[in-house]
Amino acid sequence: MRNRNYILASLAFIIVAAATAFAQVPDPGTPGPLPVTREEYNFGDTSFQPSDFPGPVELRASIHYPTNLPGGPYPVIVFLHGRHATCFKGNTQLLQWPCTDNGSAPIPSFQGYDYISQVLASNGYVVVSVSANGVNAVDNAVFDLGALARAELMQKHLDILKTFNTTGGAPFGTRFVGKLDLTRVGTMGHSRGGEGVVRHYTLNNALGAPYGIKAVFPLAPTDFTRPNVNNAALNVMLPYCD
């Protein structure tokens, strides 16, 4: 429970601190006043191809948001999980993508952040947790161990959110039009995903900063390529017996 509250506190702090110095936030473990709806979008297991990457990647994510989206637009938080096995068959874990073994199925690691997403959304955020099995399956085959692929995957999901926010699109129709504040975005990644969100910050800036990344939270991150975050709120949570 202490670790959970620390993560929630860190996420809340870095978003608020970007706008208001020394702001006080409520107990982050307490659900907020807003009811929350959880949904997913899924454009297929092989629908995205990162640059110079040896395999295709899925475009699948969960999205938690205040039910019926009263008011808004809401700041956006994007989560990226770490490097785990990608498929399972019975009690066996597999590292492949797509899940080609007969009877195997994807491991939905991105759903592991539902408990945090629920609390944050109840306090007025739209929270998106991205699946990255396609990166995890083959990231050891590239020199940066998938950092750029993860960054490009994050940017692609923000592009998808931009479409939802401007013209709408499947599977939500016009539900999110005008409801997402993509000038106020926070990102969190774990392990290789932690390095991925830092690399994403530099990628977004290199592309002209189309999205306002105000806060970055690497959780027990790797640091293979040593990208840096400047001019944004940054909080790093180091691992212990991780």
Side-chain angles (χ1 to χ4, degrees), residues 68-189:
N68 298 323
L69 295 165
Y74 299 93
V76 175
I77 298 174
V78 183
F79 290 159
L80 182 63
H81 63 79
R83 189 179 195 267
H84 312 288
T86 56
C87 307
F88 73 97
K89 183 178 181 180
N91 293 325
T92 302
Q93 296 182 357
L94 305 169
L95 195 63
Q96 59 180 218
W97 195 256
C99 299
T100 54
D101 277 23
N102 185 35
S104 66
I107 297 175
S109 294
F110 71 101
Q111 295 176 359
Y113 295 121
D114 280 359
Y115 73 102
I116 301 175
S117 301
Q118 178 79 22
V119 173
L120 289 169
S122 73
N123 282 287
Y125 298 95
V126 172
V127 187
V128 177
S129 182
V130 171
S131 181
N133 282 337
V135 179
N136 287 350
V138 292
D139 58 357
N140 278 351
V142 292
F143 78 97
D144 68 350
L145 303 178
L148 177 59
R150 291 181 173 89
E152 291 183 345
L153 180 62
M154 294 278 285
Q155 195 76 351
K156 180 64 175 180
H157 278 277
L158 285 168
D159 290 343
I160 291 170
L161 295 177
K162 180 181 178 180
T163 297
F164 291 163
N165 190 54
T166 53
T167 61
F172 304 120
T174 59
R175 183 175 312 160
F176 292 103
V177 170
K179 296 299 184 177
L180 307 178
D181 187 351
L182 295 174
T183 70
R184 291 189 296 161
V185 177
T187 62
M188 186 281 284

